[in-house]
Amino acid sequence: EVQMVVSGGGLVQPGGSLRLSCAASGFTFTSFYMSWVRQAPGKGLEWVANIDQDGSKEYYADSVKGRFTISRDNARTSVYLQMNSLRVEDTAVYYCARSSAAYVWGQGTLVTVSS
Amino acid sequence: DIQLTQSPSFLSASVGDRVTITCRASQDIDDYLAWYQQKPGKAPTLLIYAASILETGVPSRFSGRKSGTEFTLTISSLQPEDLASYYCHQLKAYPVTLGGGTKVEIK
C-alpha cells in the first residue's frame, strides 16, 4: 500500500523556519518525482514544489521561490521541505504527494505562521 | 502559466442526479489532466488521470472526458458519499496548476 507520512508541522512566528518531512513506503521511491502541495484554511489546493527522481531538478511556485527548498534522501525514502522566511500567508495544511500521471496524496500537516 | 477555470464552484444536487463539473484550460494540455476528490478534513484522493482513465478502485459512476481544452468530470448517479470538493489538475507544464474546486452538496 502506498503511504506517505508527513511530520514537522506546527506553530512558528513570521520570519521563522520549519522543516517538513515525508516518509514514503509501498512503492519504488526512486522511480517517482515527489511533490508538496498546500491548502490554506477554507481554500483550494496550491502546488508548492516538485523534485525529480535523483534530486537533481527542483521546481517551485513563484510564491515560495527563494524561501522554500525541496530535497530528498532516496536511502531513507523521504522527501523534505525546508521553509524559511515564513509569512502569515504560508499558513496551510501541507501535503506530500507522489507524482506521475497524477498525484497520489499522503496525509497533511498543519503549519501555522502567527505571532 | 496555464490557468484552469473550474465551474461551478458550488453545486447542490439530489441523490441519483447526474452531475457534471467542467474544467477549462487556458491552452492545450493534451491529456495531462487529473481529477481529485477531497472529503471534509481529509487529503485529496485520485479519481481520474490522463483526462479519462479511472483510477483503480474508483466507482464506475465517475467518468472523465476531454473536448479540446475543456475537461469534464461526471458523476452519473450522485450518492451520499460523494459529498466532497472536487479539483482538476494539469501536469502538462510548470508551474503545476489546479482548478479552484467545486464543492458538491447533497440536497
Side-chain angles (χ1 to χ4, degrees):
Chain A
E1 180 195 1
V2 173
Q3 267 202 315
M4 282 150 296
V5 177
V6 179
S7 59
L11 174 65
V12 62
Q13 291 190 334
S17 297
L18 212 55
R19 188 192 195 216
L20 305 183
S21 299
C22 169
S25 60
F27 62 97
T28 305
F29 186 72
T30 52
S31 295
F32 292 89
Y33 276 55
M34 295 297 293
S35 306
W36 289 97
V37 181
R38 68 185 180 183
Q39 185 170 37
K43 302 294 185 185
L45 300 165
E46 179 190 17
W47 171 76
V48 172
N50 272 17
I51 189 165
D52 72 348
Q53 290 93 335
D54 65 4
S56 60
K57 296 192 189 76
E58 302 163 27
Y59 306 85
Y60 297 95
D62 284 347
S63 57
V64 306
K65 204 173 292 183
R67 301 187 299 123
F68 290 13
T69 302
I70 188 171
S71 62
R72 66 191 291 162
D73 183 338
N74 285 345
R76 297 179 187 270
T77 64
S78 293
V79 62
Y80 308 98
L81 188 68
Q82 177 67 44
M83 304 185 292
N84 298 331
S85 303
L86 281 160
R87 305 168 179 166
V88 170
E89 56 266 34
D90 294 319
T91 294
V93 174
Y94 285 73
Y95 294 101
C96 170
R98 186 188 79 178
S99 175
S100 58
Y103 285 12
V104 173
W105 303 71
Q107 60 164 111
T109 189
L110 177 63
V111 172
T112 304
V113 184
S114 173
S115 53
Chain B
D1 296 5
I2 298 172
Q3 309 300 321
L4 294 179
T5 303
Q6 193 174 332
S7 61
S9 56
F10 176 83
L11 73 86
S12 182
S14 300
V15 171
D17 282 354
R18 183 180 184 87
V19 165
T20 298
I21 299 167
T22 299
C23 181
R24 287 189 178 83
S26 60
Q27 58 189 269
D28 182 21
I29 59 170
D30 296 317
D31 290 343
Y32 292 94
L33 188 108
W35 289 96
Y36 305 99
Q37 177 190 65
Q38 186 179 32
K39 295 188 177 181
K42 301 291 187 184
T45 58
L46 175 62
L47 293 174
I48 285 168
Y49 63 96
S52 61
I53 300 176
L54 198 66
E55 171 73 345
T56 302
V58 173
S60 59
R61 64 180 180 274
F62 291 92
S63 63
R65 189 171 171 267
K66 173 195 167 180
S67 178
T69 58
E70 180 175 295
F71 298 83
T72 54
L73 171 70
T74 298
I75 308 173
S76 61
S77 177
L78 191 67
Q79 298 302 303
E81 60 267 31
D82 299 335
L83 166 73
S85 292
Y86 295 83
Y87 295 90
C88 58
H89 171 207
Q90 70 82 15
L91 301 96
K92 171 68 174 177
Y94 287 106
V96 169
T97 48
L98 295 105
T102 297
K103 188 171 183 179
V104 174
E105 176 194 270
I106 311 295
K107 277 184 189 170

